[in-house]
């Protein structure tokens, strides 16, 4: 339908990027579930203010009024969202305009037509992501170039076969350092290798100090979050929420790319252990709905830095206010707990830990001594769930008058239960009678 609309305007439409890669990687008899696709329109719109991509998105929205339309940038890209329904996953369609604005009559001849989409693809990250599938008929009838023709100018399909991640030009990582993270993400996700010359470009970009570009820039105390930071965070999110996060972090560390987060961040054995245990705790406590595990892992990574560096790195990466707060609280809470005597009773430990929420306690636990960690684990799995054998109604039935003392009595009963002095209702009543 989008191709029909484009053809009515005399434009060309291409499927580009990850969807083409994934289609080529999938066996032809397997259905491909695409949830996010990128289209590029090669065409010229008479309005100086609106790109052909935006105009195409608007005509699609006229056909499907329930679809959400967002327009990004001044006039070049549009995103359409088809909402999830029972038979259909939600689908994002990004529509961009190929850079044809230099040509007064775009697609005026086949060379211009090819060069415009070629230029668009050449700006992309890796050969495997720089292929296009033509969705429209070419203006200049050529039976080899109907809809479905694969445009592969840079050897993407060969690299797919050879399982190689290869950049298109030497400056790619200097122009966009987050591509270092993307290279690792695709390599680990697809089981590909980063091609040796591409790896040299990555190392060169890192050696040239490119990571400084991503780190904090403060103007009069205000942290500026440049677009690079946003993209780095979304790459980190992608990696940390995947099943291959451990392999990806190892490869990022091997390339020296964790410097993009902070020059002193190193993936040593201690950090590896902390990441694994935080992940295990979250899953064993079955609370990943409370805090997505990628967020907790990112906080553990940042918590490996010196306490004074944590908040600024967290701000630069635009962590949630809660996340920043946890990283600030971590050190005081941890040292307060470490200073406690290990002979505290369960009720005293509950008293100490009660004010803190689970995500902070997990962060503290993975950064603490074994003794403290054990107490936090017991608190989370046993002591925080204990209830006294009597409740408010029981107290009323025993003749106690409701009021402020109720809470005190119930708290005392809870402590006695936690510390093993009271086990059941009879013992609780006897305890109250003392
Ligand atoms: N792209 C790029 N450089 C970036 C980010 C994206 O060149 N830093 C290009 C690539 O051509 C990529 C396309 O934009 O294929 C779409 O980006 P994105 O949706 O982030 O990635 P996908 O390749 O679609 O991968 P995924 O399946 O993981 O979403």
């Amino acid at each position: 339908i989008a191709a029909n609309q484009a053809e009515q305007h005399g434009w060309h439409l291409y499927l580009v990027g990850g969807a083409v890669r994934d289609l080529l990687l999938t066996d032809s008899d397997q259905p491909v579930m695409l949830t996010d696709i990128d289209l590029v329109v090669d065409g010229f719109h008479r309005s100086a203010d609106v790109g052909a991509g935006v105009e195409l998105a608007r005509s699609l929205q006229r056909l499907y009024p329930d679809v959400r339309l967002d327009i990004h940038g001044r006039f070049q890209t549009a995103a359409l969202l088809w909402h999830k329904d029972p038979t259909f996953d939600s689908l994002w369609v990004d529509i961009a305009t190929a850079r044809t604005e230099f040509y007064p009559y775009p697609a005026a001849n086949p060379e211009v037509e090819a060069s415009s989409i070629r230029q668009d693809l050449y700006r992309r990250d890796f050969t495997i992501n720089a292929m296009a599938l033509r969705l429209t008929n070419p203006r200049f009838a050529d039976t080899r170039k109907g809809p479905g023709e694969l445009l592969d100018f840079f050897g993407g399909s060969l690299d797919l076969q050879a399982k190689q991640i290869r950049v298109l030009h030497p400056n790619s990582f200097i122009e966009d350092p987050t591509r270092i993270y993307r290279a690792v993400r695709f390599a680990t996700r697809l089981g590909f290798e980063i091609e040796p010359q591409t790896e040299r470009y990555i190392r060169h970009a890192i050696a040239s100090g490119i990571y400084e570009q991503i780190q904090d820039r403060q103007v009069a105390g205000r942290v500026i979050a440049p677009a690079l930071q946003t993209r780095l965070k979304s790459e980190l999110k992608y990696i940390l929420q995947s099943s291959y996060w451990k392999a990806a972090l190892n490869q990022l560390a091997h390339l020296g790319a964790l410097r993009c987060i902070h020059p002193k961040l190193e993936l040593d054995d201690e950090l590896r252990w902390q990441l694994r245990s935080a992940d295990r705790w979250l899953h064993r406590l079955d609370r990943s709905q409370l805090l997505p595990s990628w967020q907790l892992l990112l906080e553990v990574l940042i918590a490996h830095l010196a306490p004074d560096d944590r908040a600024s790195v967290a701000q630069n990466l635009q962590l949630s206010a809660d996340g920043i707060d946890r990283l600030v609280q971590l050190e005081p809470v941890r040292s307060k707990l470490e200073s406690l005597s290990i002979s505290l009773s369960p009720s005293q430990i509950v008293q100490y830990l009660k004010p803190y929420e689970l995500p902070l306690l997990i962060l503290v636990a993975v950064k603490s001594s074994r003794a403290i960690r054990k107490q936090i684990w017991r608190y989370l799995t046993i002591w925080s769930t204990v209830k006294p054998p009597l409740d408010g109604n029981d107290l009323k039935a025993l003749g106690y008058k409701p009021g402020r003392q109720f809470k005190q009595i119930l708290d005392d009963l809870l402590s006695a239960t936690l510390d093993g002095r009271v086990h059941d209702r009879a013992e609780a009543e006897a305890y109250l009678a003392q």
Side-chain angles (χ1 to χ4, degrees), residues 17-19 21-22 36 38 123-125 129-130 176 178-179 182 185-186 189 231 235 238:
R21 177 198 66 221
D22 292 344
D36 183 358
D38 294 294
R123 288 184 293 119
R124 291 168 185 270
D125 49 6
N129 289 341
D176 180 354
T178 58
R179 285 180 171 168
R182 289 176 63 84
R185 170 153 76 83
F186 290 119
R189 172 167 120 197
R231 296 215 301 276
E235 284 304 326
Y238 255 130

Side-chain angles (χ1 to χ4, degrees), residues 172-181 210 213-214 228 260:
S172 194
F173 298 111
I174 305 257
E175 283 164 14
D176 180 354
T178 58
R179 285 180 171 168
I180 301 171
Y181 280 62
I210 194 67
Q213 263 195 33
I214 316 187
L228 264 179
C260 295

